[in-house]
Amino acid sequence: MNIKPIKSEQDYQEALNRLEVIFDAQKNSVEGDEFEVLSILIEKYEDEHFPIGLPDPIEAIKFRMEQMGYNQQDLAKMVGLKSRASEILNRKRKLSLEMIRLLHEGLKIPTEVLVQAY
């Protein structure tokens, strides 16, 4: 096991190639331990070099509604009025703190996604 920090794109590619070779390693084996450590190093490198931002709040609402089979009327039940739901989905109304709380509870969308500017 020759593990080192991932500092460059070449190191990253080598780590990915090695990870592919030992992908099916048994847990608690030498290769299994190597797989676990390499995975952590790769994740750290990717977080630093390929960050993924939070999704747009309205797109997150639409996506979650689709996942749950909800329509605009279901959203209206959460936020109070059908017109308010329409305004939210069409970006004509900003989310209030109370709406964020209700959407977080009802759609299980993280509050850090809903509080962003859009």
Side-chain angles (χ1 to χ4, degrees):
M1 180 163 59
N2 184 19
I3 295 179
K4 61 181 184 167
I6 300 173
K7 297 180 180 179
S8 67
E9 181 67 27
Q10 182 178 344
D11 292 343
Y12 174 65
Q13 288 302 321
E14 289 172 5
L16 287 176
N17 291 339
R18 179 62 184 155
L19 197 67
E20 190 174 321
V21 170
I22 60 173
F23 187 77
D24 293 322
Q26 295 293 318
K27 255 188 166 185
N28 300 319
S29 68
V30 173
E31 286 186 336
D33 291 346
E34 181 182 4
F35 178 86
E36 190 173 339
V37 172
L38 271 178
S39 297
I40 293 167
L41 291 173
I42 289 169
E43 181 180 5
K44 181 181 182 297
Y45 183 85
E46 289 175 344
D47 287 347
E48 290 174 7
H49 293 87
F50 312 114
I52 298 174
L54 294 173
D56 174 80
I58 303 306
E59 293 304 316
I61 292 168
K62 291 177 181 178
F63 178 75
R64 191 66 179 130
M65 286 173 59
E66 183 179 319
Q67 280 185 321
M68 297 175 78
Y70 284 10
N71 58 31
Q72 191 170 318
Q73 287 180 326
D74 297 312
L75 182 62
K77 290 176 189 172
M78 277 184 255
V79 296
L81 299 168
K82 188 173 181 179
S83 61
R84 187 174 298 152
S86 175
E87 290 171 345
I88 290 168
L89 294 174
N90 290 308
R91 301 174 186 271
K92 293 181 180 177
R93 177 182 288 267
K94 299 283 184 192
L95 296 173
S96 69
L97 187 57
E98 180 65 13
M99 284 185 241
I100 290 170
R101 186 184 65 73
L102 293 168
L103 292 168
H104 169 69
E105 290 174 7
L107 298 176
K108 306 297 185 226
I109 298 173
T111 53
E112 58 267 18
V113 170
L114 295 170
V115 297
Q116 297 178 95
Y118 55 92

